[in-house]
């Protein structure tokens, strides 16, 4: 979404060794200031003055930087950074420069709110030390925060070696290949490489080179690549995405996280499986499909219970039909006739014989959705039919044999229903011979960006319009939403965005307004109360949305009170400046123009 079109089709496979050495690019500083960035080329020798003054070669607009802040001395094979007694200091890789410091390729220089990244491959490289996993996780969290704040690229590479790989050689290959800005760590057979500040082409080249070096040690090594924010907007889900890509990669292959998915047709449904939990659930469904055990599927509304039931039928060898019915939609007076059928003249309006759902699903599968809604008398008759595999139609006397696989589903806690006498205990035990629990979408966030792309693309295709891209702020809001309506709500949101977005990019403001409604769906205008408001019960809103709205309002008020100075506004709210800046971008808030006093 936020990446280039080439990213969507990139799959890194084993690469042929390079026959010609690559020419090293000219050294430069990547300057990241505010929401913009540019390259400042470095001369072969001489000095580069950095600061706010007009005579500075690299002139900064940040008012917290000193007029003459720092100086970069360049002498062919050596770069020396000198702090010129600046008020707020100069930092390299988080450490304050006292006097001067020798720089290496990939060093990150921080001057107040400005970030400088040194690109000078011709400088002598040193071997990285392997970072402990706890330190790696902390660094990943920090880099994600920085990427959120400045909109900078961030890549996480995960490599998995086989049990026969020479771990020591692998570590040597990785730690001598990466830049100083990168971080390498290891957890059992998994190797993690954190790669900040890599544009699309650079990321492709560096990841391919790292994978190729690792392949020389272990030919079957598998890799997974996750990019911020398209594959995850926090450290945890970025890691899960990279690991999921490793799991689905073939031996010797390095796979992008957005390609780490399996799409298959289950009945009339095209199902995308990417989250490891869902992979395990569908593997369980395939095993259960071979038996005739009754299966109870439990999950929140919109999690795909009917798709799971369809999979149980499709993966089985049953030759009959798949018949589905929502028990909540059955009128109580007709529910027995619908399930068991009736004879002609059994009741007023029974003008002909009717086969019930249990007969219609002969040699196949009957799916009873929301089975907890069945009335108690009908529960008793269903239990007897399941145990005897025989039914009697309404108004009939003859028992008819049936051969049907029963699959049921509910979003209720049936054990709680049994305790309150609303569901028969004996039927409950009959239905839960096997149970499949579908996790809500908020617990399988690995799939959210994949499903977003898929649903948005399909919705635009049906409308004949071009698929819009999602801004980083919009994507962050969508990834952070709780999705109480699960996949159904996600699809509805994508349908709405496809129908209403006319400018090619979905903004955070559009998404924020969309997700703040009670059910995740937009309304053209709020409904007007038709009764006395004092007698109307209060509307219970989603707590997360209400807190988010309050936070946005307080941040706007603080910015106005502080004349647009973010540091002072953050202090006023008691919020760390890094968190304040991130949320400012996430909510798409406008900073008031500073006025002179």
């Amino acid at each position: 979404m936020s990446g280039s079109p080439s990213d969507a089709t990139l799959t890194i496979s084993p690469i042929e060794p390079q026959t010609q050495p690559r020419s090293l690019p000219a050294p430069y500083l990547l300057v990241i200031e505010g929401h913009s960035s540019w390259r400042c080329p470095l001369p072969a020798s001489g000095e580069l003055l950095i600061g706010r003054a007009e005579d500075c070669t690299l002139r900064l607009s940040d008012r917290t930087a000193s007029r003459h802040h720092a100086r970069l001395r360049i002498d062919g094979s050596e770069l020396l950074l000198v702090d010129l007694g600046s008020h707020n200091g100069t930092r390299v890789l988080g450490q304050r420069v006292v006097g001067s410091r020798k720089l290496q390729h990939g060093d990150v220089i921080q001057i107040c709110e400005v970030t400088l990244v040194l690109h000078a491959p011709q400088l002598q490289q040193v071997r990285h030390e392997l970072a402990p996993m706890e330190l790696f996780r902390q660094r990943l969290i920090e880099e994600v925060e920085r990427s959120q704040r400045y909109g900078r690229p961030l890549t996480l590479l995960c490599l998995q070696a086989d049990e026969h790989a020479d771990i020591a050689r692998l570590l040597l290959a990785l730690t001598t290949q990466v830049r100083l800005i990168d971080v390498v760590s290891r957890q059992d057979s998994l190797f993690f490489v954190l790669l900040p500040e890599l544009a699309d082409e650079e990321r492709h080249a560096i990841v391919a080179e790292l994978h190729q070096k690792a392949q020389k040690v272990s030919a079957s090594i598998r890799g997974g690549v996750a990019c911020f924010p398209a594959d995850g907007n926090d450290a945890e889900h970025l890691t899960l995405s990279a690991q999921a890509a490793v799991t689905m990669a073939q031996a010797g292959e390095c796979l992008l996280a957005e390609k780490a998915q399996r799409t298959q047709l289950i009945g009339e449904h095209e199902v995308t499986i990417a989250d490891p939990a869902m992979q395990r659930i569908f593997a369980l469904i395939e095993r259960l499909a071979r038996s005739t055990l009754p299966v109870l599927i439990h999950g929140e509304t919109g999690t795909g219970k009917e798709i799971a039931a369809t999979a149980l039928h499709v993966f089985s060898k049953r030759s009959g039909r798949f018949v589905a019915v929502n028990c909540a939609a059955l009128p109580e007076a007709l529910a027995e006739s619908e399930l068991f059928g009736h004879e002609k003249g059994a009741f007023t309006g029974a003008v002909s014989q009717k086969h019930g759902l249990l007969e219609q699903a002969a040699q196949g599968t009957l799916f009873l959705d929301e089975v907890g809604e069945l009335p108690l008398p009908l529960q008793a008759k269903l239990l007897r039919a399941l145990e005897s595999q025989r039914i009697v139609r309404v108004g009939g006397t003859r028992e008819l044999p049936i051969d049907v696989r029963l699959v049921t589903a509910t979003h209720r806690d049936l054990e709680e229903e049994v305790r309150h006498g609303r569901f028969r205990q004996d039927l409950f035990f009959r239905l839960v011979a096997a149970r499949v629990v579908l996790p809500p979408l908020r617990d399988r966030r690995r799939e959210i960006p994949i499903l977003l792309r898929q649903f948005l693309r399909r919705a635009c295709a049906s409308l004949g319009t071009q698929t819009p891209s999602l801004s980083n702020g919009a994507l962050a809001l969508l990834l952070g939403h709780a999705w109480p309506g699960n996949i159904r709500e996600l699809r509805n949101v994508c349908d709405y965005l496809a129908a209403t977005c006319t400018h090619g990019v979905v903004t955070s403001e559009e998404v924020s307004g969309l997700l703040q409604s009670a059910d995740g769906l937009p309304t053209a205008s709020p409904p007007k109360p038709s009764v006395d408001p004092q007698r109307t019960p209060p509307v219970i809103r989603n707590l997360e949305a209400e807190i988010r709205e309050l936070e946005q309002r307080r941040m706007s008020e603080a910015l106005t009170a502080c004349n647009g100075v973010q540091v002072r506004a953050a202090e006023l709210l008691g919020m760390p400046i890094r968190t304040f800046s991130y949320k400012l971008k996430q909510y798409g808030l406008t900073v008031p123009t500073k006025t002179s006093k």
Side-chain angles (χ1 to χ4, degrees):
M1 294 177 186
S2 62
S4 68
S6 62
D7 278 353
T9 58
L10 172 64
T11 300
I12 304 167
S13 300
I15 300 174
E16 293 298 325
Q18 295 175 336
T19 56
Q20 297 293 333
R22 294 184 302 165
S23 59
L24 295 175
Y28 64 90
L29 285 173
L30 177 64
V31 184
I32 306 166
E33 189 172 16
H35 296 292
S36 63
S37 62
W38 69 93
R39 294 186 180 189
C40 176
L42 299 178
S45 61
E47 293 188 343
L48 190 76
L49 185 59
I50 306 171
R52 290 189 296 108
E54 291 185 3
D55 61 338
C56 292
T57 312
L58 177 52
R59 191 176 177 190
L60 307 178
S61 59
D62 188 345
R63 304 303 298 175
T64 59
S66 300
R67 287 176 52 79
H68 292 165
H69 197 104
R71 188 186 306 276
L72 191 63
R73 293 175 180 168
I74 307 158
D75 182 16
S77 61
E78 183 175 282
L79 275 79
L80 195 67
L81 180 66
V82 182
D83 182 81
L84 300 177
S86 62
H87 179 70
N88 290 319
T90 305
R91 287 174 171 79
V92 177
L93 298 177
Q95 296 181 344
R96 184 159 185 163
V97 175
V98 179
S100 63
R101 172 167 173 160
K102 186 177 179 180
L103 297 180
Q104 294 282 353
H105 170 59
D107 275 349
V108 179
I109 306 163
Q110 195 72 39
I111 297 178
C112 300
E113 295 296 316
V114 182
T115 302
L116 310 174
V117 183
L118 175 62
H119 284 249
Q122 65 271 34
L123 296 181
Q124 183 180 1
Q125 292 291 294
V126 296
R127 180 183 171 184
H128 259 282
E129 292 296 328
L130 189 69
M133 202 61 204
E134 285 302 315
L135 179 61
F136 180 86
R137 290 193 186 98
Q138 182 59 38
R139 179 66 185 276
L140 176 58
I141 292 170
E142 292 172 357
E143 287 296 337
V144 166
E145 288 179 356
R146 193 174 70 85
S147 295
Q148 288 170 335
R149 184 177 183 182
Y150 296 109
R152 302 306 304 163
L154 179 64
T155 304
L156 178 62
L157 169 64
C158 181
L159 296 167
Q160 184 169 36
D162 59 48
E163 57 183 5
H164 305 297
D166 188 330
I167 301 299
R169 287 183 60 207
L170 266 176
L171 286 174
L172 183 63
L174 293 175
T175 54
T176 54
Q177 189 66 29
V178 295
R179 307 164 300 165
L180 287 181
I181 193 177
D182 304 330
V183 187
V184 183
S185 189
R186 175 196 168 201
Q187 188 173 41
D188 300 325
S189 63
L190 290 177
F191 296 83
F192 295 93
V193 186
L194 182 59
L195 301 163
E197 293 297 337
L198 286 180
D200 298 335
E201 291 183 2
E202 289 179 304
R203 179 179 70 240
H204 187 185
I206 289 181
V207 167
E209 195 165 1
L210 285 169
H211 186 237
Q212 181 186 350
K213 292 287 185 183
Q215 275 188 304
K216 291 181 178 179
V217 179
S218 175
S220 61
I221 196 166
R222 296 178 296 170
V225 183
C227 304
F228 172 89
D231 301 314
N233 69 330
D234 59 39
E236 178 186 359
H237 293 104
L238 206 61
T239 304
L240 286 175
S241 294
Q243 289 180 285
V246 165
T247 302
M248 300 192 75
Q250 301 295 321
E253 181 186 32
C254 191
L255 191 63
L256 286 178
E258 66 179 37
K259 308 295 276 185
Q261 56 181 284
R262 176 164 57 93
T263 301
Q264 65 183 103
L265 194 64
I266 298 178
E268 298 178 351
H269 309 280
E270 186 178 280
V271 181
T272 298
I273 305 169
D275 189 87
M278 293 305 292
Q279 293 176 32
R280 292 192 293 271
I281 285 171
F282 272 87
L284 172 63
I285 287 174
E286 289 194 47
R287 293 195 297 273
L288 289 174
R290 305 188 193 108
S291 73
T292 57
L293 287 172
V295 178
L296 174 66
I297 303 170
H298 190 273
E300 295 180 6
T301 179
T303 50
K305 295 188 288 292
E306 184 169 347
I307 292 176
T310 305
L312 281 165
H313 176 72
V314 170
F315 296 153
S316 73
K317 296 181 180 180
R318 301 190 68 81
S319 59
R321 295 171 52 199
F322 174 78
V323 179
V325 62
N326 188 334
C327 297
L330 288 176
E332 187 170 346
L334 298 177
E336 184 178 1
S337 171
E338 287 295 319
L339 281 178
F340 298 94
H342 62 254
E343 299 290 354
K344 181 179 180 180
F347 50 83
T348 303
V351 296
S352 62
Q353 185 188 76
K354 176 182 177 179
H355 289 191
L357 296 172
L358 285 161
E359 287 185 85
Q360 294 175 34
Q363 311 296 320
T365 303
L366 175 61
F367 173 51
L368 299 181
D369 197 6
E370 300 302 344
V371 69
E373 303 293 336
L374 283 178
L376 282 168
L378 197 56
Q379 292 178 26
K381 191 167 183 179
L382 177 61
L383 175 64
R384 185 180 182 280
L386 293 176
E387 291 182 338
S388 66
Q389 286 291 294
R390 291 179 174 275
I391 62 167
V392 177
R393 298 191 189 113
V394 176
T397 57
R398 185 166 58 96
E399 285 191 336
L400 303 171
I402 57 170
D403 177 12
V404 62
R405 166 83 175 275
L406 187 67
V407 178
T408 55
T410 182
H411 72 282
R412 292 187 176 188
D413 184 346
L414 284 190
E415 291 170 303
E416 186 70 18
E417 297 292 296
V418 168
R419 282 192 289 271
H420 287 86
R422 293 188 291 263
F423 200 84
R424 293 181 62 102
Q425 187 179 49
D426 45 7
L427 178 59
F428 170 75
F429 288 127
R430 189 73 174 80
L431 297 181
V432 293
R435 188 189 305 221
V436 172
V437 180
L438 297 179
L441 192 57
R442 61 182 172 273
D443 290 341
R444 50 198 233 232
R445 295 188 182 277
R446 163 80 188 96
E447 293 187 345
I448 293 177
I450 293 175
L451 292 175
L452 272 171
R453 297 185 192 101
Q454 188 181 96
F455 292 159
L456 195 58
R457 186 171 59 250
R458 288 179 186 172
C460 290
S462 66
L463 295 173
T465 58
Q466 187 175 2
T467 305
S469 60
L470 291 164
S471 68
N472 285 353
L475 186 57
L477 286 174
L478 289 165
L479 291 175
H481 184 52
W483 299 108
N486 293 292
I487 295 174
R488 186 179 293 118
E489 180 188 358
L490 180 64
R491 185 183 290 110
N492 288 340
V493 165
C494 290
D495 289 344
Y496 178 81
L497 292 175
T500 58
C501 183
T502 57
H503 43 79
V505 179
V506 178
T507 64
S508 57
E509 290 85 353
E510 291 171 308
V511 170
S512 178
L514 180 60
L515 297 182
Q516 282 178 12
S517 57
D519 56 358
L521 294 175
T523 53
S525 60
K528 297 180 180 179
S530 56
V531 296
D532 183 356
Q534 293 186 354
R535 301 182 61 187
T536 304
V539 177
I540 306 300
R541 294 185 57 202
N542 180 277
L543 184 60
E544 182 182 350
E546 198 160 351
I547 292 173
R548 186 166 59 237
E549 187 177 299
L550 174 64
E551 190 172 50
Q552 290 182 58
R553 188 164 62 250
R554 290 289 181 264
M555 288 178 66
S556 294
E557 291 169 353
L559 282 168
T560 302
C562 297
N563 199 27
V565 180
Q566 297 181 35
V567 174
R568 289 169 57 193
E571 290 175 352
L572 193 63
L573 294 173
M575 185 184 293
I577 182 60
R578 291 169 67 94
T579 304
F580 186 89
S581 299
Y582 163 61
K583 289 183 179 290
L584 188 72
K585 183 178 179 182
Q586 182 186 39
Y587 294 142
L589 297 177
T590 303
V591 179
T593 305
K594 299 177 184 178
T595 56
S596 57
K597 296 184 179 179

